Amino acid sequence: MVLYSYAGKILRVNLSTKTIKTEDTKKDIAQLLLGGNGYAAKILWDELKPGIDPLSPENKIVLMTGPITGTGAPGSGFWEACFKSPLTGVWGESACGGWWGPMLKFAGFDGIIIEGASENPVYLWVHDGEAEIKPAEGIWGQTVPKTEEMIRKEIGIPQARVLSIGPAGEKLVRFAGIAVDLERYAGRKGGGALLGSKKVKAVAVYGEKEIPIAKPTEYGKALKECEQAVYASLNSGGGFPNGTLGGYDACNQFGDLPTKYGETGSWEAVSDLYQNFVNKYLVKNRACFGCMQACGRVSQVKEGPFATPVYGGPEYETTAGFTTFMLQKDIEPVIKANYLCNIYGLDTISTSHMIAFAMLCYEKGLITTKDTDGLEVKWGDPDVVIKLVEKIARREGFGDLLAEGVRRAAEKIGGEAPKLALHVKGLEMPYHDPRAGKTQAIEYGTSNTGMDHFHAHETLDVECYGADLGLIPFGLPDPKTIDRFSEDPSKASIAKLVMDWGTVADALVICKFHQYVNLGPDKYAKLLSLATGWKIDGWELLKIGDRIFNLARAFNVREGIRRKDDMLPPRIMQPATTGSTKGVGITNYEGMLNEFYKLEEWDENGIPKPEKLKRLGLNDVANYLASLKS
């Protein structure tokens, strides 16, 4: 029986036994949870034992596409990596664009489950419905671009797409990422470290299989309708025509640009940084498969101490991390740091976060030059920044401590360091300030992956920037009517709706930026229905998002997560000291959290109630959680 719009097969690779199996993609799971994070959550709930070491062979990583991946749907060039995170010890998922996801599907597979661990370095070669485990001793130790070059040369197919890790993943840096197409990254939560622990250097894919569509003629017409909707939005100023970095100045004005390790949300010293980047360093824009926005940026520093070759980035988060967050005001060191992180396989958010945290600890005397290999880790020193990126990637000296992530590093530093550290569930804070839009506080606290702005979704875009994400027909208030500083209970309902929609994006496996350009739940539901032959509407899509979010929450509850783990760090709740949020703190977080728990039907300890889970079709999960003692 044809499972329309899916490849119909999932690859299972056991590195301990060196066996490869092909399994059918299961229709009942696909209809309940789609693909991406949803399908992977079912696999990891069923197959992982609670309490395992994330870097042990018992952990698994699931690389998944979605039901409309590679079909030409807007934003359908993405793929998802899901796993128990080496950084946080709880649910980990990371999404990425590029061309690797569609190529995996063209090769005949909806996803790959990698389990066990190899004794020696290997890479996987997946092509035309087949797969091989190949030795990688000669590639181990290489940077990301060199790895891609060597593997393409070895397999002899220049069009093959390569997923890989850099030296940071091999060294088990807990926030090492996974790269595709040189600089597109599933960056957060340590997927690169997990692959490194399994001695997997890369996964190369190539294929030319067609994806079956249930109603191809109608699907083509629906695609054109979506394209027209996107162009209408872009022509009226919507979307990301200037890339994510194009919002840098606006974030600064809204107090949404975390500064001096979260002391405040804006810094006037960087008001001309974006225009300087465009005038002197921007080479061109870059798009992923199925993208109509081309938000990717390619840049170069031609000469001087921060010279780089032409390379991808930097994006907004990277730039914010290496500028305001550490009081560093020049763009050239940002481009250099971004380049180094990309070739070594480091998450730029956590890397910049750790360097800024070290600067704060140094200022407060919690660490000295005796701890930092003689480096004076002062705010904003670009030379120190570059040296620390190198040290973290190699786990060299002081870099070995920073490579552990902020929760572990703060505990080892001691004193007041744990109270200063900005994280939730062990994931370092990214670069949007919840004092600028209070729904973001709820999202940061309750995200299944920790202090994460994009899993499930960046909710303050509604309050600060007026994005409705196509959700007004589903109950979202007109963003123009929302007081971004209010902390009343209605903020919880906004957060839940946006987060459910964000979770759907990771199950469809689409780029979330296409939710900003007139593509709401109804349009994607229509595409999904025509592609699969199922009957599904926007409300059902949001219900699926609710189901997946709660399944991942259950995964975390099984790992011991409770209400105490949903609290925000004190430093980010204190009143900001500059700009449009000066004097604004977060004062009713627990009130908003209580309302969010009520909407999610979680008990006072943050555990989903059995009746809710059964109503979502998760009976086995409901029975397990019902057996737990709070």
Side-chain angles (χ1 to χ4, degrees), residues 278-311:
V278 171
N279 293 340
K280 294 184 179 179
Y281 306 101
L282 176 64
V283 175
K284 62 180 180 180
N285 301 347
R286 186 176 180 185
C288 300
F289 178 95
C291 178
M292 300 168 64
Q293 303 193 60
C295 75
R297 291 294 177 268
V298 177
S299 63
Q300 181 186 25
V301 178
K302 293 183 178 178
E303 58 187 5
F306 303 108
T308 69
V310 175
Y311 213 81

Side-chain angles (χ1 to χ4, degrees), residues 168-332:
E170 298 172 15
K171 292 288 186 180
L172 309 185
V173 174
R174 289 186 182 272
F175 44 86
I178 306 170
V180 297
D181 300 335
L182 297 177
E183 79 275 357
R184 307 307 292 181
Y185 262 85
R188 306 221 69 192
K189 299 118 196 171
L194 179 51
L195 284 178
S197 74
K198 296 181 179 303
K199 293 285 197 295
V200 174
K201 182 64 174 174
V203 183
V205 297
Y206 180 76
E208 298 181 0
K209 293 180 179 291
E210 293 187 2
I211 299 170
I213 300 295
K215 298 180 179 180
T217 301
E218 294 92 332
Y219 190 75
K221 292 179 181 176
L223 283 182
K224 289 184 179 179
E225 291 174 5
C226 289
E227 290 172 3
Q228 291 170 356
V230 172
Y231 284 130
S233 176
L234 294 174
N235 291 335
S236 61
F240 297 86
N242 296 318
T244 57
L245 190 51
Y248 188 83
D249 290 343
C251 290
N252 203 14
Q253 292 167 16
F254 275 103
D256 181 27
L257 190 58
T259 300
K260 197 179 182 184
Y261 200 73
E263 178 180 290
T264 189
S266 61
W267 192 31
E268 61 181 17
V270 294
S271 59
D272 61 349
L273 182 139
Y274 172 68
Q275 201 56 51
N276 186 32
F277 169 75
V278 171
N279 293 340
K280 294 184 179 179
Y281 306 101
L282 176 64
V283 175
K284 62 180 180 180
N285 301 347
R286 186 176 180 185
C288 300
F289 178 95
C291 178
M292 300 168 64
Q293 303 193 60
C295 75
R297 291 294 177 268
V298 177
S299 63
Q300 181 186 25
V301 178
K302 293 183 178 178
E303 58 187 5
F306 303 108
T308 69
V310 175
Y311 213 81
E315 309 297 338
Y316 165 81
E317 292 285 337
T318 304
T319 305
F322 283 107
T323 56
T324 58
F325 204 58
M326 59 178 65
L327 301 186
Q328 193 290 115
K329 62 183 179 182
D330 296 324
I331 189 64
E332 287 192 4

Side-chain angles (χ1 to χ4, degrees), residues 457-471:
H457 212 309
E458 192 175 310
T459 59
L460 58 65
D461 276 348
V462 174
E463 297 173 286
C464 282
Y465 307 106
D468 66 39
L469 306 173
L471 291 172

Side-chain angles (χ1 to χ4, degrees), residues 387-447:
K387 289 176 181 175
L388 288 180
V389 171
E390 299 269 7
K391 284 179 173 289
I392 291 171
R394 298 188 177 93
R395 277 190 175 271
E396 177 184 293
F398 183 52
D400 187 50
L401 174 66
L402 301 184
E404 287 292 286
V406 76
R407 180 169 60 186
R408 290 178 176 84
E411 289 170 354
K412 290 181 180 178
I413 291 170
E416 64 172 327
K419 291 184 179 179
L420 296 172
L422 294 173
H423 73 90
V424 174
K425 302 180 181 71
L427 183 67
E428 293 81 18
M429 177 183 159
Y431 303 122
H432 289 285
D433 194 318
R435 290 167 295 202
K438 300 301 179 63
T439 59
Q440 193 62 46
I442 305 171
E443 198 273 349
Y444 276 156
T446 61
S447 167

